[in-house]
Amino acid sequence: MDYREFDRLVAESRSTRRFKTRMPVETATLRELVGLARLTPSARNLQPLKYVPVNEPSTKAELFACLEWARALKDWEGPADDERPAAYIIILGDTKIRDQFGCDHGIAAQTMMLGARARGLGGCIIASIDRDRLRNRLDIDHRYEILLVLVLGVPDETVKIETLAPDSDALYRRDPEGGHHVAKRPLEELVLKEFVV
């Protein structure tokens, strides 16, 4: 893969929140994505993360009820019944291996999201989780800290990247046609200092 292909993959790997629910994500695909996460760097190589892939209908409904969707979109309550994710991957931290997980789960989550995009899927990394409810509904042992939930499926929305306008706080919004607009800060704003040749 050359750099342009990778750049395109990253640009296309946007947070998707509406899906073609009727199009499944196979168990083998979920296992492949966890396989990618298995290869990611881990602090001291302790590998404390565990994963719970979900594509079974009743468990998907239980899990969906434990998530909060796009807080910045005040007039949107989340995906309609026919827009819900086709699958999920719950990322857990095993507290018997380590009591803090640093950025391991962020690296693993983004790697799986890139893998999902390469497979033609979309998704979103969600941290707004009713963890107690999820733990009870899915009978997750207290040994495991619930860190993130990845929602996955075939995208049913268009995501457009824009440059964040000066003095704007609209990091993302929906247009009247349902397109999702994501504003990114310009590179010049991100590079604070340079010590380069």
Side-chain angles (χ1 to χ4, degrees):
M1 172 184 294
D2 69 21
Y3 182 80
R4 286 179 304 235
E5 290 177 282
F6 184 71
D7 183 67
R8 181 186 53 75
L9 180 66
V10 171
E12 290 178 358
S13 185
R14 311 285 10 119
S15 292
T16 302
R17 295 177 180 87
R18 292 183 299 181
F19 304 90
K20 297 178 180 176
T21 302
R22 65 204 167 280
M23 299 182 77
V25 176
E26 302 298 329
T27 301
T29 301
L30 295 175
R31 291 185 63 84
E32 285 176 359
L33 295 176
V34 172
L36 290 176
R38 182 182 78 83
L39 300 174
T40 60
S42 173
R44 295 175 44 213
N45 200 32
L46 289 176
Q47 305 169 60
L49 303 181
K50 307 294 184 197
Y51 305 89
V52 180
V54 176
N55 65 5
E56 188 274 320
S58 64
T59 308
K60 288 191 312 184
E62 294 280 349
L63 183 44
F64 181 86
C66 298
L67 304 178
E68 193 170 321
W69 295 84
R71 286 184 184 175
L73 299 174
K74 304 294 183 202
D75 58 344
W76 189 63
E77 295 180 8
D81 289 348
D82 62 346
E83 298 174 331
R84 290 185 177 186
Y88 302 82
I89 298 175
I90 305 167
I91 303 177
L92 306 171
D94 187 339
T95 62
K96 288 197 175 177
I97 296 175
R98 186 169 192 151
D99 61 353
Q100 294 182 11
F101 305 99
C103 59
D104 282 15
H105 51 297
I107 295 168
Q110 183 60 22
T111 299
M112 288 190 283
M113 295 306 297
L114 289 168
R117 185 65 216 137
R119 286 260 182 228
L121 301 172
C124 188
I125 301 168
I126 297 183
S128 296
I129 306 162
D130 185 334
R131 287 170 171 78
D132 291 335
R133 186 176 182 183
L134 179 59
R135 183 178 304 285
N136 292 332
R137 287 187 173 208
L138 272 59
D139 193 28
I140 297 171
D141 190 287
H142 285 276
R143 165 183 177 170
Y144 302 102
E145 184 178 333
I146 299 169
L147 301 170
L148 297 169
V149 174
L150 275 60
V151 302
L152 299 162
V154 176
D156 196 19
E157 69 181 351
T158 302
V159 180
K160 301 169 187 163
I161 299 176
E162 302 168 344
T163 300
L164 183 66
D167 301 322
S168 174
D169 62 357
L171 297 178
Y172 56 89
R173 64 179 176 82
R174 291 217 189 270
D175 63 33
E177 292 77 41
H180 190 74
H181 298 259
V182 177
K184 294 294 183 182
R185 298 183 193 284
L187 183 61
E188 296 74 25
E189 185 179 328
L190 300 181
V191 179
L192 182 63
K193 292 183 180 184
E194 289 186 286
F195 302 92
V196 297
V197 293

